[in-house]
């Protein structure tokens, strides 16, 4: 796997500027589109998990979801033998930086995120990797949903064990067909993490993989409404 670097040209058009984020199998860079003289985001692989199929799936999902809080994919292709994905560049910071805030502070972002998920599901898609690291908070306090590399059509059967073990649903871990409930479970795990600091069971991987697991009682950093808890 190559080591991507600033100034490197991708597909003879996109000049890498600086790294923005790095996940388990891919990394995101800001880049200059030398054709349109605009800034874009480009996603590149750095591990075995980032396949051309996952990049293609992310492109297809993004292009079919016309929503202001889903950054739009612009192009995809290959740089030599390695896939890449180009998307609209958005300014934002990871939702993970909001861990430990009060529910009152988090509520507007959570409402925004829930509405976007409802739209995604209404279009027949399931994100399947909803977690704090895949949500960006824009300057106007909107939650932007990113990284649709594991997305699936509702009812589609995907390989098990995709997504984070601490935020994916038991049904997804078992390889059952994709359902909106998978994202709702992840939304609950995300809320648990934001209010208490970590998702349920973290970092006990054995506990999260038990079929009969139940989330331990949450220990929020600040008092939360009983209904939310």
């Amino acid at each position: 796997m190559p080591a991507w670097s600033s100034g490197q040209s991708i597909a003879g058009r996109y000049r890498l500027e600086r790294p923005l984020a790095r996940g388990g199998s891919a990394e995101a860079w800001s880049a200059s589109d030398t054709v349109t003289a605009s800034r874009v985001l480009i996603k590149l692989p750095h591990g075995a998990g980032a396949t051309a199929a996952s990049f293609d799936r992310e492109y297809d999902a993004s292009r079919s979801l016309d929503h202001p809080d889903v950054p739009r994919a612009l192009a995809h292709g290959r740089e030599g033998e390695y896939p890449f994905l180009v998307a609209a560049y958005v300014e934002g910071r990871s939702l993970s930086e909001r861990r430990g805030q009060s529910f009152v502070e988090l509520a507007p972002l959570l409402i925004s995120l829930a509405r976007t998920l409802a739209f995604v599901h209404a279009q027949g898609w399931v994100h399947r990797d909803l977690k704090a690291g895949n949500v960006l908070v824009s300057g106007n306090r909107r939650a932007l949903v990113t990284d649709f590399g594991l997305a699936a059509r509702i009812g589609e059967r995907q390989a098990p064990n995709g997504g984070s073990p601490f935020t994916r649903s038991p049904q997804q871990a078992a390889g059952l067909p994709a359902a909106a409930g998978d994202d709702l479970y992840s939304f609950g795990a995300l809320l648990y993490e934001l209010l208490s600091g970590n998702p349920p069971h973290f970092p006990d991987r054995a506990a999260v993989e038990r079929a009969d697991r139940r989330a331990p009682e949450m220990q929020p950093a600040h008092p939360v409404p009983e209904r939310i808890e």
Side-chain angles (χ1 to χ4, degrees), residues 57-73 115-127 145-149 151-154 183:
R57 179 169 293 272
E58 182 166 2
Y59 178 84
D60 291 342
S62 173
R63 296 293 292 186
S64 67
L65 296 170
D66 186 10
H67 191 281
D69 292 340
V70 178
R72 189 165 179 79
R115 287 173 173 163
T116 302
L117 285 177
F119 172 83
V120 170
H121 298 156
Q123 305 308 305
W125 286 94
V126 183
H127 186 280
V145 183
T146 69
D147 197 346
F148 281 78
R153 288 286 187 179
I154 291 176
D183 285 348

Short mmCIF file of all heavy atoms in Angstrom, two decimals, residues 57-73 115-127 145-149 151-154 183:
data_model
loop_
_atom_site.label_atom_id
_atom_site.label_comp_id
_atom_site.label_asym_id
_atom_site.label_seq_id
_atom_site.Cartn_x
_atom_site.Cartn_y
_atom_site.Cartn_z
N ARG A 57 -19.50 1.55 -3.78
CA ARG A 57 -20.75 1.57 -3.03
C ARG A 57 -20.96 2.94 -2.40
O ARG A 57 -22.08 3.47 -2.41
CB ARG A 57 -20.73 0.48 -1.96
CG ARG A 57 -21.99 0.42 -1.11
CD ARG A 57 -21.99 -0.83 -0.25
NE ARG A 57 -22.11 -2.01 -1.09
CZ ARG A 57 -23.26 -2.54 -1.48
NH1 ARG A 57 -24.39 -1.99 -1.11
NH2 ARG A 57 -23.29 -3.61 -2.24
N GLU A 58 -19.91 3.50 -1.85
CA GLU A 58 -20.02 4.83 -1.25
C GLU A 58 -20.41 5.87 -2.29
O GLU A 58 -21.23 6.75 -2.04
CB GLU A 58 -18.71 5.22 -0.58
CG GLU A 58 -18.76 6.56 0.12
CD GLU A 58 -17.59 6.81 1.05
OE1 GLU A 58 -16.70 5.94 1.13
OE2 GLU A 58 -17.57 7.87 1.69
N TYR A 59 -19.84 5.75 -3.49
CA TYR A 59 -20.19 6.68 -4.57
C TYR A 59 -21.66 6.54 -4.95
O TYR A 59 -22.37 7.55 -5.06
CB TYR A 59 -19.30 6.39 -5.78
CG TYR A 59 -19.60 7.28 -6.97
CD1 TYR A 59 -19.03 8.55 -7.07
CD2 TYR A 59 -20.44 6.84 -8.00
CE1 TYR A 59 -19.31 9.36 -8.16
CE2 TYR A 59 -20.72 7.65 -9.08
CZ TYR A 59 -20.15 8.91 -9.17
OH TYR A 59 -20.43 9.72 -10.25
N ASP A 60 -22.12 5.31 -5.12
CA ASP A 60 -23.51 5.08 -5.53
C ASP A 60 -24.48 5.60 -4.47
O ASP A 60 -25.50 6.24 -4.80
CB ASP A 60 -23.76 3.59 -5.77
CG ASP A 60 -23.03 3.07 -7.00
OD1 ASP A 60 -22.62 3.89 -7.84
OD2 ASP A 60 -22.86 1.84 -7.11
N ALA A 61 -24.19 5.32 -3.18
CA ALA A 61 -25.09 5.77 -2.12
C ALA A 61 -25.13 7.29 -2.06
O ALA A 61 -26.21 7.89 -1.99
CB ALA A 61 -24.63 5.19 -0.78
N SER A 62 -23.97 7.91 -2.10
CA SER A 62 -23.91 9.37 -2.00
C SER A 62 -24.64 10.03 -3.16
O SER A 62 -25.38 11.01 -2.97
CB SER A 62 -22.46 9.84 -1.95
OG SER A 62 -22.38 11.24 -2.02
N ARG A 63 -24.47 9.51 -4.36
CA ARG A 63 -25.09 10.13 -5.53
C ARG A 63 -26.60 9.98 -5.52
O ARG A 63 -27.32 10.80 -6.11
CB ARG A 63 -24.53 9.50 -6.81
CG ARG A 63 -23.06 9.73 -7.03
CD ARG A 63 -22.71 11.19 -7.29
NE ARG A 63 -23.22 11.66 -8.57
CZ ARG A 63 -22.97 12.85 -9.08
NH1 ARG A 63 -22.22 13.71 -8.38
NH2 ARG A 63 -23.45 13.22 -10.24
N SER A 64 -27.11 8.96 -4.83
CA SER A 64 -28.56 8.76 -4.80
C SER A 64 -29.22 9.47 -3.62
O SER A 64 -30.44 9.46 -3.51
CB SER A 64 -28.89 7.27 -4.76
OG SER A 64 -28.47 6.69 -3.53
N LEU A 65 -28.40 10.06 -2.73
CA LEU A 65 -28.93 10.73 -1.55
C LEU A 65 -28.71 12.24 -1.70
O LEU A 65 -27.68 12.78 -1.30
CB LEU A 65 -28.24 10.22 -0.28
CG LEU A 65 -28.48 8.74 0.04
CD1 LEU A 65 -27.56 8.29 1.16
CD2 LEU A 65 -29.94 8.49 0.39
N ASP A 66 -29.67 12.90 -2.28
CA ASP A 66 -29.57 14.34 -2.51
C ASP A 66 -30.05 15.07 -1.26
O ASP A 66 -31.22 15.40 -1.12
CB ASP A 66 -30.42 14.72 -3.73
CG ASP A 66 -30.23 16.18 -4.12
OD1 ASP A 66 -29.32 16.83 -3.57
OD2 ASP A 66 -31.01 16.67 -4.96
N HIS A 67 -29.12 15.31 -0.34
CA HIS A 67 -29.46 15.93 0.94
C HIS A 67 -28.32 16.84 1.35
O HIS A 67 -27.15 16.49 1.20
CB HIS A 67 -29.68 14.84 1.99
CG HIS A 67 -30.28 15.33 3.27
ND1 HIS A 67 -29.54 15.98 4.24
CD2 HIS A 67 -31.56 15.28 3.74
CE1 HIS A 67 -30.33 16.31 5.25
NE2 HIS A 67 -31.55 15.89 4.97
N PRO A 68 -28.63 18.03 1.87
CA PRO A 68 -27.57 18.98 2.21
C PRO A 68 -26.63 18.50 3.30
O PRO A 68 -25.51 19.01 3.43
CB PRO A 68 -28.34 20.23 2.66
CG PRO A 68 -29.70 19.75 3.02
CD PRO A 68 -29.98 18.60 2.10
N ASP A 69 -27.05 17.50 4.10
CA ASP A 69 -26.20 17.01 5.19
C ASP A 69 -25.53 15.69 4.86
O ASP A 69 -25.02 15.00 5.74
CB ASP A 69 -27.01 16.90 6.48
CG ASP A 69 -27.42 18.27 7.00
OD1 ASP A 69 -26.79 19.26 6.61
OD2 ASP A 69 -28.38 18.35 7.79
N VAL A 70 -25.54 15.31 3.57
CA VAL A 70 -24.77 14.17 3.08
C VAL A 70 -23.82 14.71 2.01
O VAL A 70 -24.25 14.99 0.88
CB VAL A 70 -25.68 13.08 2.48
CG1 VAL A 70 -24.83 11.93 1.92
CG2 VAL A 70 -26.65 12.55 3.53
N PRO A 71 -22.54 14.91 2.34
CA PRO A 71 -21.60 15.45 1.35
C PRO A 71 -21.62 14.63 0.06
O PRO A 71 -21.54 13.40 0.09
CB PRO A 71 -20.24 15.35 2.06
CG PRO A 71 -20.59 15.44 3.51
CD PRO A 71 -21.90 14.70 3.66
N ARG A 72 -21.73 15.30 -1.05
CA ARG A 72 -21.95 14.64 -2.33
C ARG A 72 -20.66 14.11 -2.94
O ARG A 72 -19.64 14.81 -2.99
CB ARG A 72 -22.60 15.61 -3.32
CG ARG A 72 -23.09 14.96 -4.61
CD ARG A 72 -24.03 15.89 -5.33
NE ARG A 72 -24.51 15.34 -6.58
CZ ARG A 72 -25.49 14.45 -6.68
NH1 ARG A 72 -26.06 13.99 -5.61
NH2 ARG A 72 -25.89 14.02 -7.87
N ALA A 73 -20.69 12.87 -3.39
CA ALA A 73 -19.56 12.31 -4.13
C ALA A 73 -19.51 12.93 -5.53
O ALA A 73 -20.55 13.15 -6.16
CB ALA A 73 -19.69 10.79 -4.24
N ARG A 115 -32.92 13.43 11.65
CA ARG A 115 -33.67 13.78 10.44
C ARG A 115 -32.94 13.31 9.19
O ARG A 115 -33.57 12.84 8.22
CB ARG A 115 -33.90 15.29 10.40
CG ARG A 115 -34.93 15.77 11.41
CD ARG A 115 -35.02 17.28 11.47
NE ARG A 115 -36.14 17.71 12.32
CZ ARG A 115 -36.27 18.93 12.81
NH1 ARG A 115 -35.36 19.85 12.53
NH2 ARG A 115 -37.29 19.23 13.57
N THR A 116 -31.63 13.42 9.19
CA THR A 116 -30.86 12.95 8.03
C THR A 116 -30.97 11.44 7.90
O THR A 116 -31.15 10.91 6.79
CB THR A 116 -29.39 13.37 8.15
OG1 THR A 116 -29.32 14.79 8.26
CG2 THR A 116 -28.60 12.92 6.93
N LEU A 117 -30.89 10.71 9.00
CA LEU A 117 -31.04 9.26 8.96
C LEU A 117 -32.43 8.87 8.45
O LEU A 117 -32.56 7.91 7.67
CB LEU A 117 -30.81 8.65 10.34
CG LEU A 117 -29.37 8.57 10.83
CD1 LEU A 117 -29.34 8.00 12.24
CD2 LEU A 117 -28.53 7.71 9.89
N ALA A 118 -33.45 9.60 8.88
CA ALA A 118 -34.80 9.31 8.40
C ALA A 118 -34.87 9.46 6.88
O ALA A 118 -35.52 8.67 6.19
CB ALA A 118 -35.81 10.23 9.09
N PHE A 119 -34.20 10.48 6.36
CA PHE A 119 -34.17 10.68 4.91
C PHE A 119 -33.45 9.52 4.23
O PHE A 119 -33.92 8.99 3.21
CB PHE A 119 -33.47 12.00 4.58
CG PHE A 119 -33.21 12.20 3.12
CD1 PHE A 119 -34.20 12.71 2.29
CD2 PHE A 119 -31.98 11.88 2.55
CE1 PHE A 119 -33.97 12.87 0.93
CE2 PHE A 119 -31.74 12.04 1.20
CZ PHE A 119 -32.74 12.54 0.39
N VAL A 120 -32.29 9.14 4.77
CA VAL A 120 -31.52 8.03 4.19
C VAL A 120 -32.37 6.77 4.12
O VAL A 120 -32.42 6.07 3.09
CB VAL A 120 -30.24 7.79 5.01
CG1 VAL A 120 -29.54 6.49 4.59
CG2 VAL A 120 -29.27 8.97 4.87
N HIS A 121 -33.08 6.48 5.19
CA HIS A 121 -33.92 5.27 5.23
C HIS A 121 -35.09 5.38 4.27
O HIS A 121 -35.48 4.39 3.63
CB HIS A 121 -34.42 5.02 6.65
CG HIS A 121 -33.31 4.79 7.63
ND1 HIS A 121 -33.44 5.01 8.99
CD2 HIS A 121 -32.03 4.37 7.45
CE1 HIS A 121 -32.30 4.72 9.59
NE2 HIS A 121 -31.43 4.33 8.68
N ALA A 122 -35.65 6.57 4.14
CA ALA A 122 -36.77 6.76 3.22
C ALA A 122 -36.35 6.53 1.77
O ALA A 122 -37.18 6.16 0.92
CB ALA A 122 -37.35 8.17 3.37
N GLN A 123 -35.07 6.73 1.48
CA GLN A 123 -34.55 6.48 0.13
C GLN A 123 -34.13 5.02 -0.06
O GLN A 123 -33.61 4.65 -1.12
CB GLN A 123 -33.35 7.39 -0.15
CG GLN A 123 -33.62 8.87 0.04
CD GLN A 123 -34.84 9.33 -0.71
OE1 GLN A 123 -34.94 9.14 -1.92
NE2 GLN A 123 -35.78 9.95 0.00
N GLY A 124 -34.32 4.20 0.98
CA GLY A 124 -34.05 2.77 0.86
C GLY A 124 -32.64 2.35 1.23
O GLY A 124 -32.25 1.22 0.95
N TRP A 125 -31.88 3.23 1.91
CA TRP A 125 -30.50 2.91 2.28
C TRP A 125 -30.35 2.78 3.79
O TRP A 125 -31.11 3.37 4.56
CB TRP A 125 -29.55 4.01 1.79
CG TRP A 125 -29.28 4.02 0.33
CD1 TRP A 125 -29.95 4.75 -0.62
CD2 TRP A 125 -28.29 3.27 -0.38
NE1 TRP A 125 -29.43 4.51 -1.87
CE2 TRP A 125 -28.41 3.61 -1.75
CE3 TRP A 125 -27.31 2.36 0.00
CZ2 TRP A 125 -27.58 3.06 -2.72
CZ3 TRP A 125 -26.48 1.81 -0.96
CH2 TRP A 125 -26.62 2.15 -2.31
N VAL A 126 -29.34 2.01 4.19
CA VAL A 126 -28.91 1.92 5.59
C VAL A 126 -27.43 2.27 5.61
O VAL A 126 -26.65 1.74 4.80
CB VAL A 126 -29.12 0.50 6.17
CG1 VAL A 126 -28.74 0.46 7.65
CG2 VAL A 126 -30.56 0.06 5.98
N HIS A 127 -27.03 3.15 6.51
CA HIS A 127 -25.62 3.58 6.56
C HIS A 127 -24.71 2.46 7.02
O HIS A 127 -23.65 2.21 6.45
CB HIS A 127 -25.49 4.80 7.49
CG HIS A 127 -24.13 5.41 7.50
ND1 HIS A 127 -23.08 4.88 8.24
CD2 HIS A 127 -23.63 6.50 6.89
CE1 HIS A 127 -22.00 5.63 8.07
NE2 HIS A 127 -22.32 6.61 7.25
N VAL A 145 -23.45 13.60 7.71
CA VAL A 145 -23.20 12.17 7.75
C VAL A 145 -22.25 11.80 6.62
O VAL A 145 -22.53 12.06 5.45
CB VAL A 145 -24.51 11.37 7.62
CG1 VAL A 145 -24.24 9.88 7.76
CG2 VAL A 145 -25.51 11.81 8.69
N THR A 146 -21.12 11.19 6.97
CA THR A 146 -20.09 10.85 6.00
C THR A 146 -19.83 9.34 5.99
O THR A 146 -20.35 8.60 6.80
CB THR A 146 -18.78 11.59 6.31
OG1 THR A 146 -18.21 11.07 7.53
CG2 THR A 146 -19.02 13.09 6.48
N ASP A 147 -18.97 8.92 5.07
CA ASP A 147 -18.45 7.55 4.96
C ASP A 147 -19.56 6.52 4.78
O ASP A 147 -19.94 5.80 5.71
CB ASP A 147 -17.59 7.20 6.17
CG ASP A 147 -16.71 5.98 5.90
OD1 ASP A 147 -16.96 5.26 4.90
OD2 ASP A 147 -15.78 5.72 6.66
N PHE A 148 -20.05 6.40 3.55
CA PHE A 148 -21.06 5.42 3.20
C PHE A 148 -20.45 4.15 2.59
O PHE A 148 -21.09 3.45 1.82
CB PHE A 148 -22.07 6.04 2.23
CG PHE A 148 -23.10 6.92 2.91
CD1 PHE A 148 -22.78 8.20 3.31
CD2 PHE A 148 -24.38 6.45 3.15
CE1 PHE A 148 -23.72 9.02 3.93
CE2 PHE A 148 -25.33 7.25 3.78
CZ PHE A 148 -25.00 8.54 4.17
N GLY A 149 -19.20 3.86 2.94
CA GLY A 149 -18.52 2.70 2.36
C GLY A 149 -19.14 1.36 2.71
O GLY A 149 -18.92 0.37 2.01
N ALA A 151 -22.54 1.14 3.32
CA ALA A 151 -23.97 1.31 3.11
C ALA A 151 -24.56 0.14 2.32
O ALA A 151 -23.88 -0.48 1.49
CB ALA A 151 -24.25 2.62 2.38
N ALA A 152 -25.82 -0.14 2.60
CA ALA A 152 -26.52 -1.21 1.89
C ALA A 152 -27.97 -0.81 1.68
O ALA A 152 -28.52 0.01 2.43
CB ALA A 152 -26.45 -2.52 2.67
N ARG A 153 -28.57 -1.37 0.67
CA ARG A 153 -29.99 -1.19 0.46
C ARG A 153 -30.75 -1.96 1.53
O ARG A 153 -30.32 -3.03 1.97
CB ARG A 153 -30.40 -1.70 -0.92
CG ARG A 153 -29.92 -0.82 -2.07
CD ARG A 153 -30.72 0.45 -2.14
NE ARG A 153 -30.43 1.26 -3.32
CZ ARG A 153 -31.03 2.41 -3.60
NH1 ARG A 153 -31.97 2.87 -2.78
NH2 ARG A 153 -30.72 3.09 -4.68
N ILE A 154 -31.88 -1.42 1.97
CA ILE A 154 -32.70 -2.12 2.95
C ILE A 154 -33.08 -3.49 2.40
O ILE A 154 -33.53 -3.62 1.26
CB ILE A 154 -33.96 -1.29 3.29
CG1 ILE A 154 -33.56 -0.04 4.06
CG2 ILE A 154 -34.96 -2.12 4.10
CD1 ILE A 154 -34.72 0.90 4.36
N ASP A 183 -29.20 1.16 11.96
CA ASP A 183 -28.77 2.53 12.20
C ASP A 183 -29.36 3.09 13.49
O ASP A 183 -28.72 3.89 14.18
CB ASP A 183 -29.17 3.44 11.03
CG ASP A 183 -28.30 3.25 9.80
OD1 ASP A 183 -27.24 2.59 9.91
OD2 ASP A 183 -28.68 3.77 8.73
#
